[in-house]
Amino acid sequence: MLGVLVVLLALRDIFHTLWHPTRRGGVSRLVMAALWRVSRWVGGKRVAGVVGPLGMLAVVSMWGLLLVLGWALVYLARMPDGFAFDPGLRPEDRSNVLDSFYLSIVAVGTLGYGDVVPVDGWLRVVSPLQALVGFVLLTAVVSWVLGSYPALGRRKALARRLAILHEVDSEAPQPPVVWGASTLESLASEVIRVRVDFGQYPETYYFFDDDAGQALPLWAPYAYRMACRMRSEGEGEVRPAAVVLERALADLARTLDLHFLHTEGSPEVVFDRYREEHARR
């Protein structure tokens, strides 16, 4: 029974992380959040830069270990009577615990050596089922990784665009430059895509950008201040476009606050906290 509970725990976390629309696994989020907090205590860009990839590797390793452990406990309850062993295996060298873990690792890795095979009816179903789960996990993890990095690219592209706009604003003579309606609308579209990315790939929050020109936490407060200014000072089509951008940024702030920051403050407070969370010495 304990083995079944461990397997179900792993499958639940895998489902909620990889396939559920909210993509918020319980244990996996705790692992990545814990690594992120540790990196903040340690400090330094080099440590922060590996948290995201290391966190994903730790989560995948945890899933594999839970599946191996759970199925090994199931096999242990029927070891050795429920299995047939290759004649070349010496009885004095065998251990029920080691044999259970060996069979579980072989099955989840879809290796299929065939030196230890189940003979009980229900075990003959459970072992191939574990191999199927292992294959599905492998393909799902590959899709997870391949989906996360394009989301990171979109976030960096938005940050880089905001950094360039900031440079242009800083170099412009007084009065301040007013962004055009087309610029505001395209920025709003990019912000909405990034907000969706945080919902679909929340693990990307824990990826640190050491290039200031591509770090969204640095430029999000600036974008919100500019959107508010354009809403107040803009004329014609600029003002409604600024309203759209402001609301898109406020929606992004709510998403960050709900899932990661928990300030319950205004967008300005959330974005400032977002910047502080990703600040490194």
Side-chain angles (χ1 to χ4, degrees):
M1 180 59 69
L2 178 60
V4 174
L5 293 177
V6 173
V7 171
L8 291 177
L9 172 64
L11 293 178
R12 179 193 179 279
D13 199 66
I14 292 170
F15 173 76
H16 279 279
T17 302
L18 301 182
W19 291 304
H20 195 273
T22 60
R23 301 179 73 95
R24 292 191 293 274
V27 181
S28 61
R29 284 289 299 278
L30 291 176
V31 169
M32 298 201 72
L35 289 174
W36 180 254
R37 285 194 293 269
V38 169
S39 74
R40 284 182 55 81
W41 295 334
V42 174
K45 294 181 179 181
R46 182 171 298 180
V47 175
V50 301
V51 170
L54 183 62
M56 295 182 74
L57 178 61
V59 168
V60 173
S61 300
M62 177 195 67
W63 290 336
L65 289 174
L66 287 176
L67 292 176
V68 168
L69 174 62
W71 254 285
L73 292 174
V74 172
Y75 297 146
L76 182 61
R78 293 296 302 148
M79 188 68 69
D81 298 334
F83 299 87
F85 296 83
D86 187 273
L89 296 176
R90 296 186 302 175
E92 62 272 15
D93 294 336
R94 290 198 347 243
S95 165
N96 289 344
V97 174
L98 291 179
D99 285 342
S100 299
F101 275 95
Y102 167 77
L103 179 59
S104 183
I105 293 172
V106 168
V108 80
T110 64
L111 301 176
Y113 291 143
D115 50 351
V116 182
V117 294
V119 293
D120 280 356
W122 65 275
L123 285 175
R124 296 178 65 184
V125 175
V126 169
S127 185
L129 180 62
Q130 184 185 11
L132 179 61
V133 170
F135 176 76
V136 171
L137 176 61
L138 175 62
T139 56
V141 166
V142 171
S143 300
W144 184 38
V145 173
L146 293 179
S148 298
Y149 279 90
L152 287 170
R154 290 187 288 270
R155 188 176 76 189
K156 291 181 179 180
L158 172 60
R160 187 58 191 153
R161 187 178 181 190
L162 290 173
I164 292 174
L165 288 171
H166 179 267
E167 292 176 4
V168 173
D169 289 345
S170 301
E171 296 170 358
Q174 297 295 325
V177 173
V178 176
W179 295 352
S182 60
T183 299
L184 295 169
E185 291 170 354
S186 60
L187 281 174
S189 298
E190 293 183 45
V191 170
I192 291 170
R193 281 194 292 269
V194 170
R195 183 261 183 226
V196 172
D197 286 338
F198 275 120
Q200 291 293 313
Y201 301 98
E203 62 278 355
T204 58
Y205 176 84
Y206 303 106
F207 279 72
F208 174 77
D209 297 307
D210 57 355
D211 184 350
Q214 298 180 355
L216 184 61
L218 180 63
W219 300 109
Y222 161 73
Y224 188 76
R225 289 195 302 269
M226 287 298 292
C228 293
R229 185 170 73 82
M230 294 298 101
R231 174 178 53 79
S232 301
E233 301 177 5
E235 298 178 356
E237 296 179 351
V238 171
R239 181 168 294 179
V243 171
V244 172
L245 176 58
E246 181 186 1
R247 293 186 179 180
L249 286 165
D251 190 34
L252 173 61
R254 282 193 296 270
T255 299
L256 292 171
D257 198 44
L258 177 63
H259 301 310
F260 308 105
L261 301 174
H262 312 295
T263 68
E264 298 183 359
S266 64
E268 295 95 332
V269 172
V270 174
F271 285 134
D272 286 341
R273 179 60 180 163
Y274 182 37
R275 180 179 56 195
E276 293 171 4
E277 274 279 312
H278 285 256
R280 291 294 187 273
R281 292 189 296 272

